[in-house]
Amino acid sequence: MADFTQLINENACRIEYDCQDMPFHIACSAHSANLAIGDTINKCTEVKNAIEIFRDYSKKLRTPTSMRVLQENNQNMALLDVSTRWSSLYNMLLRLAQLKPFTSSLPDHLFSGKNMTESNWEDMMEFIEVLKPTAILMKNLQNVHISLSDVFAYWTGAILSLQELQTVQPESPFLDTMLDNVQERFKYVSSNPMMLASVYLDPRYQLLLDSAEKDKAIDYLTKLHMTCSQVEIYQPPMNQINNLPHAGLSSLEQFLRTKEVPPTDSVLTDAVTNIRKRLIDFGKNPRQPSTSSLLSFWEENKSKHFELHSLAVIIHTSPGTEVKIERNFSTLKFVLNRLRNNLSDYDLEKILIIKFNTK
């Protein structure tokens, strides 16, 4: 077997050529949505103070006396939000709203004279309406199998819902700030050309792109196609050929390398023109229903769009969130804990592999 380091050195020029200008980082969409909600609450001081009141009220509803009353009425107990997950704030407020009819049966001394006023309840209902689109967005982003185009569509849906809500609540600073922050984060998330390429190769959501975004997606997909095709057409510049490592090569191979001639510009130009034409023609296809399956579409059109299918496999399998990784970390604490902390790295890895792949 050839030495791995030697293979890396021999292909260093190839790697640098293939990967130039290709993005390697995709922001986690779930984390970006979480930041948008957090930024909104931190900017709105009145909202932040009101949420503290709601949080304290939830804590008082979780005392033994309050829980006994709620259980007697067949009600679920109050929830508490998690500071690192702003989407849980919506669940806490929604549960409080459901428990409102039963809070009147609780003794007043539990609240130390600081019971919720009617104004507090009205503010809470407004917060629930504003947080609902982002809560739905966070829930959708936690799905196990989503493509980058799904992420784009979920964000767009949340923005549209907030804009529709503005017609009902025209003078809501909290809503306006939420919409601004969500749009700002979405602009950052959707600026990645890989996400634009995923939306372009998704016949369900391609219409969401404007002409400039489509051109950017086509340019990226063309470059990606040429990169994947370098096995056949790539040749390093002639001034670099003589600098490639010759260790382990026969004299004949070294001599043949000096005779290599890079492909003519016409060959590269024809390849680029061909794939760009296929991509432009694909953009003229009729839209598929948003409820249809992206996987089924590409399986059915694999032979018709063979080259585009290869690109779709690469693009649509790129993860748009780190939810799965975070979920695996959460599972780790059930395997490695204070009662079971002597596992070797080897055993721990094998246990986790089995656990993650048997769900």
Side-chain angles (χ1 to χ4, degrees), residues 200-266:
Y200 189 84
L201 291 181
D202 191 334
R204 302 171 300 171
Y205 306 128
Q206 188 186 98
L207 293 178
L208 295 176
L209 301 179
D210 56 30
S211 57
E213 290 172 333
K214 288 181 179 180
D215 292 340
K216 190 174 181 180
I218 291 175
D219 292 340
Y220 178 81
L221 289 168
T222 302
K223 183 182 296 184
L224 178 62
H225 174 75
M226 299 305 296
T227 299
C228 296
S229 304
Q230 293 305 318
V231 175
E232 298 179 1
I233 66 173
Y234 170 77
Q235 293 291 341
M238 292 302 296
N239 60 353
Q240 295 183 9
I241 292 180
N242 294 328
N243 296 329
L244 293 176
H246 296 316
L249 299 179
S250 64
S251 300
L252 177 60
E253 176 63 21
Q254 295 182 32
F255 176 76
L256 291 174
R257 286 195 175 192
T258 61
K259 298 296 182 180
E260 286 180 331
V261 179
T264 60
D265 293 339
S266 60

Side-chain angles (χ1 to χ4, degrees), residues 115-152:
N115 206 336
M116 292 268 285
T117 64
E118 192 60 33
S119 176
N120 293 140
W121 289 110
E122 292 176 358
D123 291 340
M124 187 178 67
M125 297 307 298
E126 178 187 347
F127 297 166
I128 289 176
E129 291 298 322
V130 175
L131 289 170
K132 183 177 180 180
T134 55
I136 295 175
L137 171 62
M138 291 292 292
K139 185 176 181 180
N140 289 333
L141 293 176
Q142 292 173 15
N143 292 335
V144 178
H145 301 294
I146 59 173
S147 63
L148 289 173
S149 57
D150 290 324
V151 170
F152 192 96

Side-chain angles (χ1 to χ4, degrees), residues 59-110:
K59 292 178 181 179
K60 292 171 183 176
L61 291 180
R62 291 168 64 89
T63 60
T65 304
S66 300
M67 292 178 63
R68 177 179 56 78
V69 175
L70 295 177
Q71 288 176 357
E72 291 173 354
N73 290 276
N74 296 321
Q75 296 298 310
N76 295 321
M77 69 176 184
L79 299 176
L80 287 177
D81 61 328
V82 181
S83 59
T84 57
R85 291 192 295 123
W86 285 108
S87 59
S88 62
L89 176 63
Y90 172 79
N91 297 328
M92 182 187 73
L93 299 182
L94 187 62
R95 179 61 59 83
L96 278 179
Q98 296 171 352
L99 296 177
K100 179 184 177 181
F102 302 94
T103 56
S104 59
S105 59
L106 296 173
D108 292 336
H109 69 83
L110 292 175

Side-chain angles (χ1 to χ4, degrees), residues 3-14:
D3 181 63
F4 183 74
T5 304
Q6 178 181 343
L7 294 176
I8 292 295
N9 292 332
E10 291 179 356
N11 290 277
C13 298
R14 161 72 179 279

Side-chain angles (χ1 to χ4, degrees), residues 9-39:
N9 292 332
E10 291 179 356
N11 290 277
C13 298
R14 161 72 179 279
I15 294 172
E16 182 179 358
Y17 177 86
D18 288 351
C19 300
Q20 59 183 352
D21 301 328
M22 302 294 282
F24 290 92
H25 173 71
I26 302 177
C28 177
S29 298
H31 181 62
S32 299
N34 201 42
L35 292 176
I37 303 172
D39 292 343

